[in-house]
Amino acid sequence: MPGAPTCRDRGRRVVVHAPAKTNLHLAVGAPGHDGYHPLVTVFQALSLYEEVTATAAEPGSGVTLTVSGRGVDETPLGASNLAVRAARALAEHLGRPADVVLHVHKTVPVAAGMAGGSADAAAALLACDLLWRGDLAPADRLDVAATLGADVPFALLGGTALGTARGDRLEPVTARGELHWVMAWAREGLSTPAVFTALDDARDAGRAPRRDVLDARVPPALAAALADGDPHALGAALDNDLQDAAVALRPALAGVVGAARGAGALGAVVSGSGPTVAVLADGADHAAELARVLGAAPEVAETRHVHGPVAGARQVVGADVSPDHPSLRGR
């Protein structure tokens, strides 16, 4: 059967990395009957990667997971881990046993609004597909990814993209040039459900405007800035419906945004549900200066200069499956 293990698979391994993201635009609708909020968002993939190594395991051994790097103590190792869920979902899709040893090396902080867990899932999905010779078409892989979480398909796709529905229906967006960002990381993460609840409470109390109808397009000013490769116009177009809710839960974030703007940032916005603040710089030298200034702020644990957009999940050079493997075609 497709994807069935063979003796020659024993000991094979595949290494894949997948990028973190930030949101250039995030509009949040009212929750539906299922409790989920419809979204219209513009994602951008950043040069900060989660890395997953998938190694062939003995038949019947199931999925085992180890983790290294940032946030090890905060990362679940059992069935709730998104990388484990990705391996099992793919195995079910392929009709084969989910026998694999996964190792996740984390560089993205946990609960930072940068979709590190989703990047783990995307990397595990691609790594297992290559390891098991599933040869899934990119569209089929995206379908499996969508069952795992709203941000997982984008971690596969990468680049810059419009996300609708729960953020998992994607359309590539034209984005010219390279953008330089400084990610200012807080000392503690924020719960995504708590931030959405805070937004709902603010709307119910009349402290935040409702969005009963979402415009499922890239806002015109943002689309023009991306197409023109104009970071100054882009900085003015950044917006996030969750920002005020995140600040209400973590008031120090307002100081980070203010410090970034005071230091000459082209724009500063809470990334996703926070608490990371994404700060747009006018080139690499400016990013280095912003990182220095923000790194001295008491509310900031660490800064990282990254660029975007970058590609989605990719095999790391030197792994056992070559980059021209059939399941990578068309990506």
Side-chain angles (χ1 to χ4, degrees), residues 83-108:
V84 173
R85 289 177 53 200
R88 290 176 173 167
L90 178 64
E92 181 177 359
H93 183 86
L94 295 175
R96 60 150 289 141
D99 297 325
V100 66
V101 177
L102 297 177
H103 179 75
V104 175
H105 183 70
K106 299 189 65 62
T107 60
V108 181

Side-chain angles (χ1 to χ4, degrees), residues 242-269:
L242 294 177
Q243 177 157 317
D244 288 347
V247 170
L249 294 173
R250 193 68 59 76
L253 292 178
V256 179
V257 172
R261 291 173 176 163
L266 302 185
V269 67

Side-chain angles (χ1 to χ4, degrees), residues 198-294:
L199 173 62
D200 292 339
D201 290 346
R203 285 175 170 174
D204 289 343
R207 299 192 305 272
R210 294 184 178 275
R211 285 194 189 264
D212 295 323
V213 178
L214 292 178
D215 186 350
R217 300 177 300 168
V218 182
L222 180 60
L226 288 167
D228 293 342
D230 184 344
H232 291 263
L234 179 65
L238 299 173
D239 71 297
N240 179 1
D241 280 357
L242 294 177
Q243 177 157 317
D244 288 347
V247 170
L249 294 173
R250 193 68 59 76
L253 292 178
V256 179
V257 172
R261 291 173 176 163
L266 302 185
V269 67
V270 169
S271 180
S273 59
T276 298
V277 176
V279 180
L280 184 60
D282 190 12
D285 291 343
H286 188 212
E289 174 61 17
L290 287 172
R292 184 190 66 78
V293 171
L294 293 173

Side-chain angles (χ1 to χ4, degrees), residues 23-49:
N23 301 79
L24 311 182
H25 165 71
L26 180 54
V28 180
H33 296 300
D34 58 2
Y36 286 94
H37 296 73
L39 306 175
V40 175
T41 188
V42 177
F43 295 108
Q44 184 159 100
L46 304 175
S47 60
L48 184 67
Y49 299 94

Side-chain angles (χ1 to χ4, degrees), residues 44-282:
Q44 184 159 100
L46 304 175
S47 60
L48 184 67
Y49 299 94
E50 298 283 271
E51 186 175 275
V52 173
T53 301
T55 304
E58 293 293 330
S61 61
V63 181
T64 57
L65 173 68
T66 57
V67 179
S68 62
R70 183 182 294 273
V72 170
D73 293 340
E74 304 165 82
T75 304
L77 298 179
S80 64
N81 185 282
L82 275 171
V84 173
R85 289 177 53 200
R88 290 176 173 167
L90 178 64
E92 181 177 359
H93 183 86
L94 295 175
R96 60 150 289 141
D99 297 325
V100 66
V101 177
L102 297 177
H103 179 75
V104 175
H105 183 70
K106 299 189 65 62
T107 60
V108 181
V110 175
M114 297 182 67
S118 296
D120 295 341
L125 188 60
L126 177 57
C128 288
D129 190 31
L130 294 170
L131 181 71
W132 294 336
R133 300 180 177 87
D135 295 348
L136 282 189
D140 293 334
R141 199 180 301 123
L142 286 170
D143 287 343
V144 177
T147 69
L148 299 166
D151 293 337
V152 182
F154 178 70
L156 280 175
L157 182 68
T160 305
L162 173 69
T164 55
R166 296 180 184 176
D168 56 338
R169 295 181 185 172
L170 300 173
E171 298 177 28
V173 172
T174 298
R176 294 186 172 87
E178 181 178 77
L179 296 172
H180 289 267
W181 298 90
V182 174
M183 311 309 290
W185 291 332
R187 300 188 182 279
E188 296 180 45
L190 263 180
S191 160
T192 296
V195 176
F196 275 91
T197 297
L199 173 62
D200 292 339
D201 290 346
R203 285 175 170 174
D204 289 343
R207 299 192 305 272
R210 294 184 178 275
R211 285 194 189 264
D212 295 323
V213 178
L214 292 178
D215 186 350
R217 300 177 300 168
V218 182
L222 180 60
L226 288 167
D228 293 342
D230 184 344
H232 291 263
L234 179 65
L238 299 173
D239 71 297
N240 179 1
D241 280 357
L242 294 177
Q243 177 157 317
D244 288 347
V247 170
L249 294 173
R250 193 68 59 76
L253 292 178
V256 179
V257 172
R261 291 173 176 163
L266 302 185
V269 67
V270 169
S271 180
S273 59
T276 298
V277 176
V279 180
L280 184 60
D282 190 12

